[in-house]
């Protein structure tokens, strides 16, 4: 009898534990591995939950860290949705066969230029490459006409970037696709000789603002975000847009995808549809991220140069090669 009572007690405890775990899983709602800016993802999550009642749990990290983590986790990943800042991280997960097809209704909300041809992930936002420069050190007629010009010896010690970040690596990915491996390797070798390394785009902009360096290759929204606050890190900064289909006019696509292993596929697909629809794209227009809206008919923040005026090069975001880029950057001594 004593053994029976102990067994029953153990079984009861196990059942309670399993029920508690299940309740905790349900309480988490859908789990989003978020490599986007935390504030933007939070606005998306809160807006979606308010409209649908579906809870969203954000786990924040970086593009490369999360994409590699998802591949390592495989079908055991607890994530339902993956959001990135740049598309190479999406490509890594897609190539591992870990994404479910995005619902057709969601794909229909976004132009084909901002989604994978496979239909396995979709663009949720975009950002433009710019050359941020110190207005007390450089005038308009002294600016580089092309990103490639920064390889010229005349730019030695005059420009900066953050090569360890996924942002800059996406820019190099575009350069690789547009100009080929040999030209990219040569440019990276010249970059190593010419540039100054900083950690993070915001740090690059601060250095430009302070006059430590004349200019830097970053994404546009760092400037607009700082201007919307105090402007203390950008008061001496202006943005140069390369345009003319130059590699330096590259527009990077932020992606979203639903994991094939998602335990809440219906809710995960609904989240992605909301982010790419009016609710999510209005957050980009009215919020403080200053990233571009990519939904059909969606408007970006009016302070931004319109996407159509950027004259960005034609780049297939779904084929940007992050592994080759890191290999080339490592060979050039940049990583």
């Amino acid at each position: 009898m004593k053994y029976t009572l102990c067994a029953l007690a153990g079984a009861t405890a196990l059942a309670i534990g399993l029920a508690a775990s299940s309740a905790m899983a349900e309480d988490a709602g859908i789990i989003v591995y978020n490599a986007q800016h935390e504030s933007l993802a939070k606005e998306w999550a809160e807006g979606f939950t308010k409209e649908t009642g579906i809870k969203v749990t954000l786990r924040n990290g970086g593009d490369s860290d999360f994409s590699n983590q998802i591949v390592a986790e495989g079908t055991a990943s607890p994530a339902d949705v993956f959001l990135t800042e740049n598309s190479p991280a999406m490509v890594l997960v897609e190539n591992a066969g870990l994404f479910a097809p995005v619902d057709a209704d969601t794909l229909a909300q976004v132009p084909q230029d901002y989604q994978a041809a496979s239909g396995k992930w979709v663009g949720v936002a975009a950002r433009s490459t710019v050359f941020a420069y110190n207005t007390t050190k450089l005038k308009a007629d002294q600016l580089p006409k092309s990103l490639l010009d920064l390889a010229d010896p005349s730019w030695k010690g005059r420009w900066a970037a953050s090569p360890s970040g996924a942002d800059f690596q996406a820019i190099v990915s575009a350069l690789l696709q547009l100009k080929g491996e040999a030209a990219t390797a040569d440019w990276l070798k010249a970059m190593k000789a010419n540039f100054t390394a900083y950690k993070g785009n915001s740090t690059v902009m601060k250095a430009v603002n302070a006059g430590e360096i004349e200019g830097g290759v970053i994404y546009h929204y760092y400037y607009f975000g700082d201007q919307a606050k105090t402007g203390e890190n950008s008061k001496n900064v202006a943005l140069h847009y390369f345009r003319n289909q130059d590699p330096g006019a590259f527009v990077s696509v932020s992606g979203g995808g639903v994991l094939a292993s998602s335990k809440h596929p219906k809710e995960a697909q609904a989240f992605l549809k909301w982010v790419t629809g009016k609710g999510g794209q209005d957050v980009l227009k009215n919020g403080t991220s200053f990233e571009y809206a990519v939904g059909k008919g969606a408007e970006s923040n009016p302070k931004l140069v319109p996407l159509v005026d950027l004259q960005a090069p034609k780049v297939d975001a779904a084929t940007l090669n992050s592994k080759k880029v890191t290999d080339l950057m490592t060979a050039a001594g940049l990583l």
Side-chain angles (χ1 to χ4, degrees):
M1 176 64 75
K2 183 177 180 182
Y3 173 82
T4 302
L5 288 173
C6 289
L8 285 171
T12 301
L14 177 61
I16 291 172
L18 290 173
S21 297
S22 177
M24 286 177 66
E26 289 180 10
D27 186 57
I30 60 170
I31 295 174
V32 176
Y33 278 12
N34 173 53
Q36 250 293 349
H37 289 182
E38 292 184 24
S39 57
L40 174 58
K42 184 180 178 183
E43 285 188 83
W44 277 339
E46 290 176 349
F48 173 72
T49 299
K50 182 178 180 180
E51 191 169 310
T52 66
I54 300 170
K55 184 175 179 180
V56 178
T57 296
L58 297 173
R59 295 185 181 175
N60 299 306
D63 275 4
S64 299
D65 290 342
F66 266 144
S67 59
N68 284 299
Q69 181 177 331
I70 290 170
V71 171
E73 291 171 342
T75 57
S77 178
D80 297 292
V81 176
F82 182 33
L83 296 178
T84 66
E85 290 189 337
N86 302 283
S87 64
M90 303 301 294
V91 176
L92 184 67
V93 176
E94 179 185 3
N95 288 344
L98 297 173
F99 279 137
V102 176
D103 282 355
D105 288 350
T106 301
L107 294 175
Q109 296 184 143
V110 179
Q112 290 187 345
D113 286 349
Y114 301 117
Q115 59 179 267
S118 64
K120 292 297 182 71
W121 61 267
V122 65
V124 295
R127 60 275 303 282
S128 173
T129 310
V130 294
F131 185 73
Y133 66 97
N134 185 297
T135 55
T136 70
K137 293 182 174 292
L138 288 173
K139 304 304 178 187
D141 61 353
Q142 299 173 307
L143 297 171
K145 292 181 172 57
S146 167
L147 180 73
L148 302 178
D149 290 350
L150 296 173
D152 190 272
S154 64
W155 280 97
K156 184 176 178 63
R158 300 172 60 198
W159 71 282
S162 176
S164 62
D167 287 354
F168 189 80
Q169 290 172 25
I171 295 169
V172 178
S173 294
L175 178 63
L176 175 62
Q177 188 178 117
L178 292 164
K179 298 298 181 180
E181 184 173 337
T184 302
D186 288 345
W187 188 84
L188 291 171
K189 182 179 179 181
M191 173 184 169
K192 173 64 175 176
N194 286 354
F195 96 122
T196 299
Y198 289 90
K199 187 171 179 59
N201 282 345
S202 58
T203 308
V204 171
M205 187 178 71
K206 288 179 183 178
V208 171
N209 184 67
E212 294 176 17
I213 200 83
E214 292 180 32
V217 177
I218 63 173
Y219 282 148
H220 75 280
Y221 57 83
Y222 290 93
Y223 171 83
F224 289 99
D226 189 71
Q227 286 284 299
K229 296 175 183 175
T230 64
E232 63 183 322
N233 296 312
S234 59
K235 61 184 178 181
N236 299 317
V237 175
L239 302 184
H240 171 52
Y241 295 84
F242 289 102
R243 294 187 168 87
N244 301 311
Q245 290 75 52
D246 189 79
F250 167 62
V251 170
S252 183
V253 179
S254 301
V258 173
L259 277 296
S261 56
S262 169
K263 297 176 178 61
H264 312 92
K266 183 178 178 181
E267 293 80 3
Q269 292 283 358
F271 176 73
L272 201 55
K273 183 177 181 180
W274 189 90
V275 168
T276 56
K278 179 173 173 52
Q281 297 298 288
D282 277 354
V283 168
L284 293 169
K285 176 185 176 183
N286 303 317
T288 58
S289 72
F290 294 99
E291 295 188 53
Y292 283 99
V294 296
K296 289 181 179 177
E299 296 180 1
S300 298
N301 190 293
K303 293 184 179 180
L304 304 183
V305 175
L307 266 176
V308 294
D309 293 342
L310 295 176
Q311 300 173 14
K314 183 74 172 179
V315 173
D316 184 354
T319 61
L320 294 180
N321 192 330
S322 58
K323 175 63 167 62
K324 188 63 179 179
V325 163
T326 56
D327 288 346
L328 288 170
M329 292 182 70
T330 300
L334 295 166
L335 295 177

